Amino acid sequence: DSDRKGRGYVQFQGLMIGSVVQFAAISLLLGIGSYMDIKTREIPNWISVIIALTAVINFRLDNLWGIIVAVIFFSVALATGKIGGGDVKLIAALSVVCGLWGSFALLLFAQISMLIFYAGKYILCKINGKTASKSLPFVPFIFIGYLVTKIFF
């Protein structure tokens, strides 16, 4: 892109290095966060902080509109009491990176993947005569939503 020249972007075979570094860093952090959420149901604040800081790697002013998604997500969390504070902070950090439509897509794909997983778990539990827990760690699904959004959109 000619409009990106002279703004600190280095291109390598058509890919912007800043975007690749940002994607890799966020993917690594979401992987760590997923593991921690599964094991402890806690997401350390430093993960959200570093993800938010990666926004400067590939900063676009219009990405700040993604905060609208974070506010909606926070409102739902507040109203239902079913979403953890770490999930809200993580979505807020990702919303600055992904922008408005990217954040909506991320949450949509996170929810779809969680519903598919829960439906499968529910069916397996019914077959085995067990009760499926209603509480799931959300970060692994946020990670899936991020990957789908960034790879396909």
Side-chain angles (χ1 to χ4, degrees):
D1 292 333
S2 61
D3 63 323
R4 300 236 189 231
K5 289 182 181 171
R7 289 203 230 158
Y9 288 91
V10 179
Q11 290 197 349
F12 179 71
Q13 295 181 352
L15 295 174
M16 286 184 220
I17 296 299
S19 296
V20 173
V21 169
Q22 184 182 51
F23 177 79
I26 291 173
S27 295
L28 175 66
L29 290 164
L30 288 174
I32 293 167
S34 295
Y35 176 80
M36 296 181 89
D37 197 21
I38 291 167
K39 291 294 184 187
T40 67
R41 298 292 167 94
E42 302 251 334
I43 308 153
N45 289 333
W46 61 266
I47 290 176
S48 297
V49 169
I50 295 173
I51 286 174
L53 289 174
T54 67
V56 301
I57 295 173
N58 199 16
F59 183 74
R60 291 180 41 208
L61 191 58
D62 60 327
N63 277 0
L64 295 178
W65 286 105
I67 293 171
I68 292 170
V69 175
V71 169
I72 293 169
F73 191 72
F74 173 72
S75 300
V76 170
L78 204 57
T80 64
K82 304 279 184 190
I83 302 169
D87 297 323
V88 172
K89 289 181 259 186
L90 192 57
I91 291 297
L94 286 165
S95 71
V96 175
V97 172
C98 296
L100 181 63
W101 299 113
S103 298
F104 275 127
L106 186 153
L107 277 176
L108 174 68
F109 293 122
Q111 288 294 326
I112 290 170
S113 63
M114 188 165 119
L115 287 171
I116 292 168
F117 177 84
Y118 190 78
K121 184 177 178 181
Y122 180 82
I123 291 167
L124 286 175
C125 285
K126 283 293 184 188
I127 290 170
N128 294 323
K130 297 179 181 176
T131 304
S133 80
K134 294 181 180 177
S135 173
L136 290 174
F138 193 43
V139 179
F141 304 106
I142 292 172
F143 189 12
I144 291 168
Y146 175 76
L147 291 175
V148 172
T149 300
K150 287 298 185 178
I151 292 171
F152 295 107
F153 292 97

